[in-house]
Amino acid sequence: GESVGLHLPTLSVQEGDNSIINCAYSNSASDYFIWYKQESGKGPQFIIDIRSNMDKRQGQRVTVLLNKTVKHLSLQIAATQPGDSAVYFCAEIRITGFQKLVFGTGTRLLVSP
Amino acid sequence: SAVISQKPSRDICQRGTSLTIQCQVDSQVTMMFWYRQQPGQSLTLIATANQGSEATYESGFVIDKFPISRPNLTFSTLTVSNLSPEDSSIYLCSVEFSGNTIYFGEGSWLTVV
């Protein structure tokens, strides 16, 4: 069935390194993607989004890349900090009568000082 | 962004009882969503709640178990009925705000004993 999934369940990096979190999606009709950060004990926090008519979008220390050819999404975090340690989810909006957000399985990012 | 408040933030309930979770938003929003996040898992959409209409449930979720109210554009409740230990999860309210962007509350952590 259709799904949004992630390649790596856990990613460990050193402070100051760049982090790349990957996500594969299977619904080519999805036209909007969001990355969320979820810290322990909290709800998902919006990080950055991208529409399907774009292939790159930059925010503060974060960049999202979208490759529609291979249905792949990535989140790049520059100069990773210990405060970036969290679970990161990609999510896609599927238009099926009305909009709903479908989440991937999540990647845990561990940043060592 | 919207400020989303959920009550209770945590609760421990006896099996067979019910818990009603409230979601209050500081802005009027058309679409509100309820998600469940089981321990260590991703988020699964339970239902979409639009003001003035019946909630739309996802496959695997039924109104008898998860009745939802949406009396106005800033408030919704989710009831989890006839609780069992398998209902122990985080229940999250989310809203669509400012054109597609979806924000989440901090969640309601339910433990059923």
Side-chain angles (χ1 to χ4, degrees), chain A residues 71-99:
Chain A
K71 290 182 279 190
H72 183 269
L73 195 67
S74 69
L75 177 70
Q76 300 179 1
I77 305 174
T80 313
Q81 303 168 359
D84 294 326
S85 294
V87 177
Y88 290 81
F89 294 97
C90 67
E92 64 180 310
I93 289 198
R94 303 179 181 179
I95 312 298
T96 54
F98 54 87
Q99 297 178 348

Side-chain angles (χ1 to χ4, degrees), chain B residues 99-112:
Chain B
N100 290 147
T101 305
I102 297 179
Y103 296 93
F104 284 81
E106 293 295 348
S108 298
W109 300 63
L110 169 62
T111 301
V112 182

Side-chain angles (χ1 to χ4, degrees), chain A residues 26-52:
Chain A
S26 57
N27 187 347
S28 58
S30 294
D31 64 356
Y32 182 58
F33 303 87
I34 305 175
W35 280 100
Y36 289 93
K37 172 186 181 183
Q38 187 175 29
E39 297 176 281
S40 181
K42 297 187 176 181
Q45 176 187 358
F46 174 91
I47 301 174
I48 193 168
D49 59 1
I50 189 167
R51 297 192 180 275
S52 61

